[in-house]
Amino acid sequence: MVKGKLSERQRRMVEFIERFTVDSGYPPSIREIGKNVGISSTSVVNYNLNRLVDEGYLTRDKNVSRGIRMTKKLLKSVGRLSDVIRIRKVGRIFASEPVPMPSTDSPIFSTDEAIEISRDLLSTTEGLFALEVKGDSMIDAMVNDGDVVVMQREPEWRNGDMVAVWLKDKEETTLKHIYRQGRKVRLQPANPTMQPIIIDNPENLEIQGKVVLVVRQLN
Amino acid sequence: MVKGKLSERQRRMVEFIERFTVDSGYPPSIREIGKNVGISSTSVVNYNLNRLVDEGYLTRDKNVSRGIRMTKKLLKSVGRLSDVIRIRKVGRIFASEPVPMPSTDSPIFSTDEAIEISRDLLSTTEGLFALEVKGDSMIDAMVNDGDVVVMQREPEWRNGDMVAVWLKDKEETTLKHIYRQGRKVRLQPANPTMQPIIIDNPENLEIQGKVVLVVRQLN
DNA sequence: CTTGACATAGAACGAATGTTCCGATAGAAT
DNA sequence: ATTCTATCGGAACATTCGTTCTATGTCAAG
């Protein structure tokens, strides 16, 4: 066998083991693997399991039923490593420019162009992108220089959502809570001591995304 | 047995099952549980496992070796071998009260008493606890009602750290960047438009922890 | 005291599961 | 062609492991 390459069978095995383990809570037995991958002989399954061990995808414990341990390599290879979601950082956010939008949906390779957020903190995982706040211009949104804002590309909004809006006339981006008020729109700063802005003509607004999460790393 | 209450034994079993599963990658057998919890009889382990099923801590698959499934909360904690760290929420933070400190280092059972943060966002994982901000009193720290503050129990600090301090004379908790200034101490609000406080007598300060992360979930 | 539930022990049984051995096939290398 | 290696198949075997049965002890309720 060529080092580092998986046969079709082995690939199927890896996939099955991962799926089975995730939704069973325990690893499959040799016979269960065989049955689902289409191998009648337990020894063959055993044989290929050992190959997978050689390749670093698994570790096994002798004489233990279901004694299969998935390695990080395996989890990574099936893209199921943990509950972390990687969100692409598409740039910085200024008051004086529209929000940069993700230019691509291609997978993220490098770590430093992404931020990892535990899925737990997110209600959606679709259409997300992250921006780093530059400058002090967003302090009325309680967002400071260096903070990371996770946004969702989503034209729909509901009362109270915090959104990034581009004010066409002022040529300014701001983060505000947004409310319908009759045919007008009210933009409310997160800082309760500050005054809202009433937009008479909603045409003047361009909603660039919903703010889903703000993260401030202090060190 | 009283519904909803675990006997000491059952508690130990739950803990063992969780720990074993986490660092083995598969659940323990009945005999392994017995051995580690101090039960000689497999039937007694079996009996108590069924009690735990009744209580909703586990589900079991008949005639499957190691066919123990931890319920959602516990299963989730299995995923922490990954990149997610669970941080206990110890309470709320007010201006008018000292910061509540974690009272225990015991494992976290329930999900709702913890917040999951991807390790990526943290430089340390020791001595962390989380607080939910209550009220508007921290807005000068750019921290708002509902935000979650992750802190580190750590008396040492360096210039520029954001810390939670208890001001003894004012009887007030605040979050500020802290700087040495000769023998005085300067407390600088995160909001750059606001004025710093100079503390002449550092005895008046009680550092309750370093702020490591601020998270604001918008929905 | 008796009864009944709950919890515990120990042992035996049988099903589930990993291990091993022998043999066969295919392809590459010699 | 021969040899070697990797892979596969089937079957027997050995161990692990869940299940079940019987017996014992405890404790509160009747």
Side-chain angles (χ1 to χ4, degrees):
Chain A
M1 187 187 67
V2 184
K3 168 78 176 162
K5 258 194 139 176
L6 299 186
S7 70
E8 178 54 26
R9 249 183 185 178
Q10 287 159 3
R11 198 187 316 284
R12 299 244 302 280
M13 284 174 64
V14 165
E15 243 171 86
F16 172 71
I17 291 169
E18 186 272 341
R19 189 166 51 81
F20 186 101
T21 307
V22 165
D23 42 53
S24 295
Y26 48 82
S29 70
I30 286 184
R31 286 172 180 81
E32 285 165 340
I33 296 171
K35 194 167 200 175
N36 280 276
V37 178
I39 302 175
S40 64
S41 168
T42 58
S43 73
V44 174
V45 175
N46 187 54
Y47 171 80
N48 282 291
L49 281 177
N50 289 330
R51 290 294 75 69
L52 289 173
V53 171
D54 294 344
E55 295 292 335
Y57 285 85
L58 306 173
T59 61
R60 299 182 70 190
D61 291 346
K62 269 200 159 324
N63 295 321
V64 173
S65 352
R66 303 171 186 276
I68 299 175
R69 206 175 305 204
M70 295 186 289
T71 61
K72 295 208 175 74
K73 183 174 181 181
L74 185 156
L75 292 170
K76 208 162 242 172
S77 76
V78 284
R80 179 98 60 158
L81 183 57
S82 82
D83 290 343
V84 177
I85 294 175
R86 309 179 79 187
I87 300 172
R88 184 187 300 274
K89 282 192 196 168
V90 291
R92 300 164 188 280
I93 181 172
F94 299 89
S96 57
E97 284 178 16
V99 169
M101 297 294 273
S103 54
T104 166
D105 280 323
S106 66
I108 302 164
F109 287 107
S110 158
T111 304
D112 44 43
E113 55 176 341
I115 181 174
E116 294 193 347
I117 301 291
S118 107
R119 167 179 273 120
D120 208 56
L121 296 176
L122 300 167
S123 50
T124 328
T125 61
E126 294 302 313
L128 297 179
F129 59 100
L131 298 166
E132 191 177 327
V133 175
K134 207 58 202 166
D136 294 341
S137 58
M138 303 277 172
I139 44 175
D140 64 335
M142 309 279 294
V143 172
N144 208 353
D145 186 63
D147 290 359
V148 173
V149 175
V150 177
M151 307 222 314
Q152 185 183 17
R153 191 171 23 185
E154 163 72 72
E156 299 296 321
W157 54 270
R158 286 181 308 222
N159 270 350
D161 282 354
M162 175 172 263
V163 292
V165 290
W166 174 248
L167 302 176
K168 292 179 188 166
D169 56 353
K170 294 186 189 168
E171 296 209 326
E172 184 184 320
T173 294
T174 121
L175 302 177
K176 295 278 190 302
H177 291 287
I178 187 169
Y179 297 86
R180 271 179 237 283
Q181 242 171 30
R183 63 180 35 189
K184 301 181 180 177
V185 168
R186 177 168 49 104
L187 297 178
Q188 179 89 40
N191 186 329
T193 65
M194 309 193 78
Q195 292 305 310
I197 305 175
I198 307 293
I199 305 291
D200 296 324
N201 176 15
E203 292 294 306
N204 189 27
L205 288 179
E206 205 167 272
I207 310 292
Q208 311 213 269
K210 271 165 65 171
V211 177
V212 171
L213 189 71
V214 178
V215 174
R216 181 178 307 148
Q217 288 177 266
L218 277 307
N219 56 2
Chain B
M1 187 186 68
V2 184
K3 168 77 176 165
K5 259 197 135 176
L6 299 187
S7 72
E8 178 53 27
R9 249 183 183 175
Q10 287 160 2
R11 214 182 162 68
R12 300 243 301 280
M13 284 173 63
V14 168
E15 243 176 87
F16 172 71
I17 291 170
E18 195 239 2
R19 190 167 52 80
F20 185 101
T21 307
V22 166
D23 42 53
S24 296
Y26 48 82
S29 70
I30 284 184
R31 286 171 180 80
E32 285 165 338
I33 296 171
K35 195 168 198 173
N36 279 275
V37 178
I39 302 174
S40 64
S41 167
T42 57
S43 70
V44 174
V45 176
N46 187 53
Y47 172 80
N48 283 289
L49 281 177
N50 288 330
R51 291 292 76 71
L52 289 172
V53 170
D54 294 343
E55 295 293 335
Y57 283 84
L58 307 171
T59 60
R60 300 181 70 192
D61 290 348
K62 271 201 158 321
N63 297 321
V64 174
S65 350
R66 302 170 187 276
I68 299 175
R69 204 177 305 204
M70 295 188 287
T71 51
K72 216 166 76 192
K73 310 172 185 176
L74 289 150
L75 184 63
K76 214 164 213 179
S77 65
V78 174
R80 89 172 150 191
L81 49 81
S82 68
D83 290 348
V84 179
I85 293 174
R86 310 180 76 195
I87 300 172
R88 184 187 299 277
K89 283 191 194 167
V90 292
R92 301 165 186 280
I93 181 170
F94 299 89
S96 57
E97 282 178 18
V99 169
M101 298 292 273
S103 55
T104 165
D105 281 324
S106 67
I108 301 167
F109 282 103
S110 157
T111 304
D112 43 44
E113 54 177 341
I115 182 176
E116 294 194 346
I117 301 292
S118 105
R119 166 179 274 119
D120 207 56
L121 297 175
L122 300 166
S123 51
T124 329
T125 61
E126 294 302 312
L128 298 179
F129 58 101
L131 297 167
E132 192 178 326
V133 176
K134 207 59 203 166
D136 293 340
S137 58
M138 304 276 170
I139 46 176
D140 64 334
M142 309 279 294
V143 171
N144 207 354
D145 186 64
D147 289 0
V148 173
V149 175
V150 177
M151 309 223 313
Q152 185 183 18
R153 192 171 21 188
E154 162 73 72
E156 300 297 321
W157 54 270
R158 287 180 307 221
N159 270 349
D161 282 354
M162 175 172 265
V163 293
V165 291
W166 174 247
L167 302 176
K168 290 179 190 167
D169 56 352
K170 292 186 190 170
E171 297 207 325
E172 185 183 322
T173 295
T174 122
L175 302 177
K176 294 278 190 301
H177 291 288
I178 187 169
Y179 297 87
R180 271 178 238 281
Q181 240 169 30
R183 65 180 33 190
K184 299 181 183 179
V185 168
R186 184 174 96 246
L187 297 179
Q188 179 87 43
N191 185 330
T193 65
M194 309 194 78
Q195 292 305 310
I197 306 175
I198 307 294
I199 304 292
D200 295 326
N201 176 16
E203 292 294 307
N204 190 27
L205 288 181
E206 205 166 271
I207 310 292
Q208 311 213 270
K210 272 165 63 171
V211 178
V212 170
L213 189 70
V214 178
V215 173
R216 180 179 309 149
Q217 287 177 266
L218 276 307
N219 57 5

